[in-house]
Every structure is written in structure tokens, then in C-alpha cells.
Amino acid sequence: MGYRVAIVGATGEVGRTFLKVLEERNFPVDELELFASERSEGQELTFKGERIKVKALNKQHSFKGIDIALFSAGSSVSKDYAPKFAKDGAVVIDNSSAWRLDPEVPLVVPEVNPEDVKEHKGIIANPNCSTIQMLVALKPIYDVAGIEAIVVSTYQSVSGAGAKAIRELEEQTRAWCRDDCIPEPKALPKRIAFNVIPQIDVFTENGYTKEEMKMLNETRKILHDPYIKVSATTVRVPVFYGHSEAVCIKLKKELSPEEARQILKSAKGVVVVDNPEKGEYPMAIDVAGKDEVFVGRIRKDLVFEPGLSMWIVADNIRKGAATNAVQIAELLCEFALV
Ligand code: A2P
Ligand code: 11C
């Protein structure tokens, strides 16, 4: 038996990837309904060779009969519509930040805290992409050696800021190549072509951005560890797909780089690419389109004792968003929660 699935934000970067991932993983879909803004009404998207028309999301619509709704249309749409879908009987898996820290809403990375889906009351939140890939790589180490603190610097691709930011990098780069005037930034706070921007999302009172605070608060919630410390600097780089992270961890117990490598080699959803002598390490350009989290440059940290440093890379639209959400949907089926 299959499910009636809805995608809200179907025309966006993550929305289109939901369609691909559902198809690739052969998720049991009986019927698929696609929603976006009024701008996209009537547009057609393809699922398993079938053309499906996009509907404009509006409050008059009844969502009865939908079993699972995958949302990626931004926080305000999620705040307005997720409760309505849930009330009409769907389980909402929401990719926005709207519900992540709500104590009634589980925040789930299937490789890390799968059992938390059982606590859902109609809405399950998908964590921020930077948090997901960091925790997929760190949880196996956390389980063996304990982690007291994490210092992370990110190198985040423009696709994290949506389809408009992808176009912005393209247009600015083309203009630069033609020696034309570079268009003013709209989707990102500063020019991104041939630049790095040490700001993702807005600043909060403590001088960290919201993206940086998400990495702390979401990590604590997912690991059920209110004491773990996370200090993040999140940076936008001129890359289309794939977020990279330089991560230093303070361990509770000694763990050698080789032991960490062995643990990660057998961890679910992780691929170790770590041969410095051959110049082999993960790079965004190689992981785009893949679902695993790639780890390399594993070495003893020179500040934290005991500690490790490493480099973690994943496709932010796939494992960082669409794939993680579809894996949550798979957990719902596995645990007979839908
Ligand atoms: P649309 O394409 O019609 O604007 P991205 O993050 O890649 O920019 O995608 C955002 C997604 O959210 C798109 O599918 C977009 O639809 C959708 N969206 C934005 N605002 C709304 C809204 N008010 N109601 C429904 N969908 C929305
Ligand atoms: C980025 N991580 O790369 C952000 C986008 O909370 O889901 C994801 C925002 C979020 O720009």
C-alpha cells in the first residue's frame, strides 16, 4: 500500500529534489499533490514520468486524505500551513526553522535520533543543513568517546539560500566574465562572485548569526545534550551545491585519528575519504548529487586535548534537506506511524 503525499514549495530547489529523491528511493507514493505560490499555479513537474500540475497553496483548500506532507516553502508558510495539514490528518515533515525548537516537535536526523519520530504530534522538523551533516559525522564519535565542545567553521554553497541565490552567483559570474557591471546582490547580503561572506542569516544580540545559533541549539536538541558547547562561524562561498565544514572537537575520552577513521568507516550514511598522502579528501564538487556525508582530514587537534579535527562535506540540498526529510518519511512507515 502506498501513501498520499503532498509537497509544499514543490517548485523550489529543495521541493524539486523531494520529487527526485522520492522517485529514486522508490518511496511508496500512491498520489502526489504539488503546492507552491500563486506564481507557479499550473506549472507542471514530472514524477515517475507523469506530469503533475502545481496548485497554489491557499487556506480554502482542504488537505484531508494527505498522509505525509513535505514542506520547504520557508518559515512563514510552515507556521501558517503545517498545523492545518496536521489537523487534516497529515504528518508534516518541515524543512524550515519554524518548528525546530518547539518542545512538542521532534527534530530528527535518521542516523542520529530515529526514535524521536515516535514522539510526533503531527509535525516533525528537519534540521538545518549545516547541523545535519555535522551530526551524521560526529554522532558515532560522540557515542564512543563523548564530545564536550565543537568549534566549527562552515563554507556554505549558495543553494542553501534557494533558487534565487543560485541565479545570483551565475549572473554575477557571467557579468564579471563579460567585463560588465556586476548586478547588485538581492538574495544574498553582499556580492558572492569571487568573494566569501561571513554572514548567513541575520545577526543576533550576542554577535552570532541565526545560522550559527541554529548549529548550537539544534545540536543540543538532537543529541538530547543541553551541555554540549558549539561555537560556529558560518560563511557563504561561491559554490553552487555542497556545504563544507572545518570541525574541531573536544573529546571526553582519548580517541586516535585512526580509531575515529575506523568508527566512521562503519557508520551509517558516512563515507571516509582521507588519504592526505595521495591528496584525497572530500570536496563539494565531488559530493554534489550524493546522499552520504563525506569526512576527511581526520587528525589530532592541536588545541583540544583530547581532541580531533576533521573536514565534513555533504550536498546541502540532498542530505541537508530533501533526503533527510524522505528518510524521516521512511521511518514513519517503518515504525507504522502513518
Ligand atoms: P514559487 O516557485 O511559486 O515562488 P526556494 O527556497 O528554492 O526559493 O523555493 C521556495 C519554494 O517555496 C518555492 O516552491 C516557492 O514557490 C514556495 N513558496 C514561496 N512562498 C510561498 C507561499 N506564500 N505559498 C506557497 N509556496 C510558496
Ligand atoms: C543556508 N543553512 O545554507 C542555510 C539554509 O534553517 O533551514 C537553511 C535555513 C534553514 O543558507
Side-chain angles (χ1 to χ4, degrees), residues 75 95-97 100 126-130 156-162 188 200-201 211 214 218 236 243 316 320:
S75 285
N95 189 49
S96 82
S97 58
R100 287 184 190 146
N126 213 35
N128 182 24
C129 40
S130 341
Q156 297 182 219
S157 64
V158 293
S159 53
L188 296 169
I200 296 183
D201 212 329
E211 180 82 357
K214 282 177 197 173
E218 294 180 16
R236 187 76 67 195
H243 287 358
N316 51 298

Side-chain angles (χ1 to χ4, degrees), residues 1-5 22 25-31 48 333:
M1 192 205 80
Y3 300 94
R4 199 163 155 212
V5 176
L22 285 169
R25 296 175 78 93
N26 208 16
F27 188 82
V29 178
D30 268 355
E31 205 182 318
K48 294 195 171 171
C333 305

Side-chain angles (χ1 to χ4, degrees), residues 9-13 36-37 39-40 57 72-73 77 162-163:
T11 52
E13 269 303 302
S37 79
R39 294 178 289 276
S40 305
L57 190 66
S72 193
V77 172

Side-chain angles (χ1 to χ4, degrees), residues 18-311:
F18 280 145
L19 285 156
K20 265 195 236 164
V21 174
L22 285 169
E23 184 166 342
E24 282 169 19
R25 296 175 78 93
N26 208 16
F27 188 82
V29 178
D30 268 355
E31 205 182 318
L32 189 60
E33 282 202 66
L34 305 178
F35 296 98
S37 79
E38 283 171 1
R39 294 178 289 276
S40 305
E41 191 165 15
Q43 196 180 318
E44 288 184 340
L45 298 174
T46 306
F47 180 69
K48 294 195 171 171
E50 192 193 326
R51 305 286 291 161
I52 303 175
K53 273 202 168 54
V54 175
K55 296 177 196 157
L57 190 66
N58 67 60
K59 295 224 167 79
Q60 282 74 53
H61 208 102
S62 161
F63 305 110
K64 288 211 161 55
I66 294 173
D67 301 304
I68 297 172
L70 303 171
F71 269 60
S72 193
S75 285
S76 59
V77 172
S78 295
K79 279 201 184 113
D80 280 357
Y81 283 92
K84 188 155 173 44
F85 274 72
K87 193 164 159 273
D88 283 352
V91 182
V92 173
I93 303 170
D94 179 37
N95 189 49
S96 82
S97 58
W99 303 98
R100 287 184 190 146
L101 298 183
D102 186 318
E104 299 288 298
V105 173
L107 181 64
V108 176
V109 182
E111 294 83 348
V112 178
N113 59 334
E115 297 289 319
D116 286 358
V117 294
K118 293 180 181 166
E119 306 302 317
H120 89 79
K121 297 183 174 66
I123 304 175
I124 299 171
N126 213 35
N128 182 24
C129 40
S130 341
T131 315
I132 292 177
Q133 68 181 71
M134 183 172 84
L135 294 187
V136 169
L138 294 188
K139 176 65 165 32
I141 295 174
Y142 180 91
D143 286 343
V144 174
I147 297 176
E148 213 173 288
I150 304 171
V151 177
V152 52
S153 301
T154 69
Y155 305 70
Q156 297 182 219
S157 64
V158 293
S159 53
K164 286 188 185 127
I166 295 179
R167 281 197 295 278
E168 194 153 295
L169 173 58
E170 268 169 8
E171 283 163 12
Q172 291 178 358
T173 308
R174 285 214 175 91
W176 187 89
C177 293
R178 288 192 304 257
D179 221 4
D180 281 353
C181 185
I182 296 191
E184 281 301 307
K186 288 198 201 96
L188 296 169
K190 306 275 190 243
R191 173 181 142 180
I192 185 64
F194 310 101
N195 193 20
V196 296
I197 309 171
Q199 180 192 349
I200 296 183
D201 212 329
V202 296
F203 285 95
T204 69
E205 274 175 7
N206 64 4
Y208 286 79
T209 63
K210 273 195 180 169
E211 180 82 357
E212 290 161 352
M213 293 312 292
K214 282 177 197 173
M215 292 192 81
L216 167 65
N217 295 323
E218 294 180 16
T219 294
R220 286 183 168 173
K221 178 163 175 177
I222 295 162
L223 294 178
H224 300 275
D225 180 349
Y227 302 108
I228 191 166
K229 293 175 187 157
V230 182
S231 182
T233 304
T234 56
V235 180
R236 187 76 67 195
V237 295
V239 164
F240 287 113
Y241 294 97
H243 287 358
S244 306
E245 300 179 342
V247 176
C248 305
I249 53 177
K250 184 169 191 318
L251 297 168
K252 291 188 176 160
K253 277 199 316 211
E254 184 74 47
L255 191 74
S256 72
E258 189 44 34
E259 285 169 321
R261 232 171 260 125
Q262 291 313 321
I263 289 166
L264 290 175
K265 273 183 185 161
S266 53
K268 214 170 149 200
V270 178
V271 177
V272 176
V273 182
D274 195 13
N275 292 305
E277 60 288 352
K278 291 191 193 152
E280 290 173 358
Y281 34 74
M283 290 189 294
I285 208 161
D286 298 323
V287 315
K290 299 194 174 146
D291 287 321
E292 297 88 355
V293 172
F294 294 76
V295 188
R297 302 287 325 274
I298 302 168
R299 59 208 192 275
K300 198 169 156 50
D301 190 78
L302 297 181
V303 174
F304 294 136
E305 181 58 55
L308 291 170
S309 288
M310 66 194 75
W311 178 245

